[in-house]
Amino acid sequence: MKATFDKQKLLAALTPAAGISQSKNTMASVDGLLFECPPDPRLGEVEDPNPNLCRISAFDLEKGLRTSVECEIGETGMFVIDTVKILQIIRAMPDGSITIEIDDKGRVHIAGGQSSFDITAAPGEEFPSMPQFVGEHTYRIPQYIIKQLVSRTVYAVAQNDTRAAFNGAFFKIRNGELTVVGCDGFRLAAAKCPLPNGGADSEILIPGKFLGELTKMLRDTEDEVTMMVGRKHIIFKIDTIHFFTRMLDVEYIDYERLFPDTYRTEVYVSAADLRSAVERASIVTEYKLGGAGKSPIRLDIGDNAVTLSAVSAGGSVRERVPAAVGGADISIGFDGRYLLDALKATSTNCETLRIRLNESLKGAVIEPAGGTTFKDARPDETVFSERKFDAAADYANKNSEDEEKDPSSFISFVMPTRMNK
């Protein structure tokens, strides 16, 4: 095999492919990237008939990526090259043309400018078979929608939980609307948005680690990504890149049951002010000394304010954030990171949040001031009949214009932590 590439084009193709995690595999061929010059139709459909095209694939038996890059092919061939070595070499090479030449014994010669490297490669036939890029259901979705929904929920997905369902984000397409849900047992995040092109109803569970890599590839544009749901795999096609993973084959939790039917306290507060206050309080709670654990952030809600406080071995903090408070006063504690993650994931267009609570050991619901369509909870009449909340309508109307600009909807549910008296 012999092919000449433009460095920047080759590097742009290698970088996302190298992001596939391969370090824990025992198969040597899986630790490398498959180079096909030109693409072999036996290994997958060739979409671009350009004869001077190199197809690059990465696959760790769970997730994978396939892309292509233009080049000048001198000799055809198919080889597997070590991922780390080829990426480091191409990054270090001078700008301009780079020639990769591989002989029949797998000796690789890489040359560009006044630099050259010699490494080894394995036969392409040793690369594991990849799934076909076809699906039972196909959806064409603007990239910004997928990126937005995943960014607002993936933080709540567990990484290595023994409960398999918590390690993935739940995608539900119903009546032309896409809902994405993440939950790790301590917090839950959900976001939804209408699909401009509609699509068949479907429910799938996608590993959270895969979605973290996917968001790095997506752009905040209306350019479409094609999502294909296969029998075992989910495939996202972004421009010339096919990025796919095996879906989690477990039943997801009934997440809607986690949202309370009623609430005893309702708070309307500036999203930016509350987020900044929690960030400052986290400086104290994150302090570690002598192996001591993290201290919670305490929220005292009442008297038209949310008062945050925290005490740890490293010091203390107290801050008052103005708010409109209805219902019963309440004191509740949260893990600072969990609460901050939920606040950071809110929409940039959402100026005011509505927070609904019940008791100090029951979770808090965080959503836009205008509410959502996830669940229509009712105020506890035993509390609100005695304490009328006139500010609610004013705060809800304040966000109506911003919500029209952002058709998506989000909601978070954060469990509290027990506080020492």
Side-chain angles (χ1 to χ4, degrees), residues 343-354:
L343 296 175
K344 285 183 175 180
T346 60
S347 168
T348 55
N349 290 328
C350 180
E351 296 182 2
T352 308
L353 295 175
R354 177 170 72 172

Side-chain angles (χ1 to χ4, degrees), residues 323-392:
V325 180
D329 294 348
I330 186 173
S331 296
I332 189 169
F334 293 99
D335 180 294
R337 181 169 61 88
Y338 288 171
L339 182 58
L340 187 57
D341 284 345
L343 296 175
K344 285 183 175 180
T346 60
S347 168
T348 55
N349 290 328
C350 180
E351 296 182 2
T352 308
L353 295 175
R354 177 170 72 172
I355 303 175
R356 293 178 292 170
L357 310 100
N358 277 290
E359 299 174 10
S360 60
L361 293 180
K362 293 185 178 180
V365 175
I366 304 172
E367 59 187 350
T372 67
T373 57
F374 284 97
K375 191 164 189 176
D376 187 19
R378 306 181 308 278
D380 187 322
E381 294 182 359
T382 62
V383 176
F384 281 85
S385 61
E386 299 177 1
R387 186 172 177 178
K388 189 177 179 181
F389 191 24
D390 296 325

Side-chain angles (χ1 to χ4, degrees), residues 147-211:
K147 185 173 183 178
Q148 189 178 81
L149 298 186
V150 171
S151 298
R152 292 179 183 173
T153 54
V154 73
Y155 74 88
V157 176
Q159 294 299 314
N160 294 293
D161 200 290
T162 54
R163 298 159 293 185
F166 285 169
N167 295 322
F170 181 57
F171 277 54
K172 180 175 73 173
I173 298 174
R174 188 71 51 83
N175 300 323
E177 185 175 63
L178 171 61
T179 300
V180 181
V181 183
C183 180
D184 63 3
F186 300 99
R187 63 247 178 107
L188 181 147
K192 63 171 66 174
C193 187
L195 294 179
N197 301 316
D201 290 354
S202 182
E203 293 184 359
I204 53 181
L205 191 56
I206 305 176
K209 292 181 180 179
F210 170 87
L211 292 172

Side-chain angles (χ1 to χ4, degrees), residues 286-301:
E286 294 293 331
Y287 187 87
K288 296 181 180 179
L289 181 65
K294 297 177 182 177
S295 58
I297 295 178
R298 178 187 177 109
L299 273 61
D300 292 300
I301 300 172

Side-chain angles (χ1 to χ4, degrees), residues 5-227:
F5 304 83
D6 174 78
K7 175 190 171 176
Q8 295 304 324
K9 291 182 179 179
L10 177 58
L11 191 59
L14 290 177
T15 301
I20 305 299
S21 175
Q22 301 153 323
S23 59
K24 296 182 180 180
N25 286 284
T26 57
M27 295 175 59
S29 58
V30 179
D31 287 331
L33 302 177
L34 175 64
F35 284 70
E36 301 171 65
C37 292
D40 189 337
R42 295 173 299 176
L43 300 183
E45 181 182 354
V46 180
E47 297 181 348
D48 191 337
N50 183 356
N52 287 306
L53 201 68
C54 177
R55 187 161 63 184
I56 301 173
S57 302
F59 186 35
D60 69 358
L61 305 183
E62 291 292 333
K63 61 183 180 297
L65 181 146
R66 174 171 281 171
T67 187
S68 57
V69 58
E70 292 183 354
C71 62
E72 293 182 10
I73 299 177
E75 296 179 11
T76 63
M78 182 172 65
F79 289 89
V80 179
I81 305 176
D82 181 88
T83 304
V84 175
K85 288 182 181 179
I86 188 65
L87 185 61
Q88 288 178 336
I89 290 172
I90 299 304
R91 280 176 173 167
M93 297 288 278
D95 290 341
S97 297
I98 294 176
T99 299
I100 300 177
E101 188 172 1
I102 309 175
D103 64 20
D104 293 338
K105 295 182 179 180
R107 291 177 296 205
V108 184
H109 183 70
I110 306 172
Q114 302 300 312
S115 303
S116 65
F117 291 83
D118 291 291
I119 56 176
T120 59
E125 289 75 15
E126 295 183 6
F127 197 77
S129 299
M130 297 174 70
Q132 296 296 314
F133 297 147
V134 294
E136 299 175 358
H137 302 298
T138 299
Y139 309 89
R140 297 181 64 84
I141 308 171
Q143 292 190 33
Y144 82 91
I145 289 181
I146 294 288
K147 185 173 183 178
Q148 189 178 81
L149 298 186
V150 171
S151 298
R152 292 179 183 173
T153 54
V154 73
Y155 74 88
V157 176
Q159 294 299 314
N160 294 293
D161 200 290
T162 54
R163 298 159 293 185
F166 285 169
N167 295 322
F170 181 57
F171 277 54
K172 180 175 73 173
I173 298 174
R174 188 71 51 83
N175 300 323
E177 185 175 63
L178 171 61
T179 300
V180 181
V181 183
C183 180
D184 63 3
F186 300 99
R187 63 247 178 107
L188 181 147
K192 63 171 66 174
C193 187
L195 294 179
N197 301 316
D201 290 354
S202 182
E203 293 184 359
I204 53 181
L205 191 56
I206 305 176
K209 292 181 180 179
F210 170 87
L211 292 172
E213 293 293 329
L214 177 66
T215 55
K216 298 176 184 178
M217 302 181 193
L218 296 171
R219 303 183 299 273
D220 291 312
T221 69
E222 295 196 7
D223 295 339
E224 292 183 333
V225 55
T226 301
M227 185 174 77

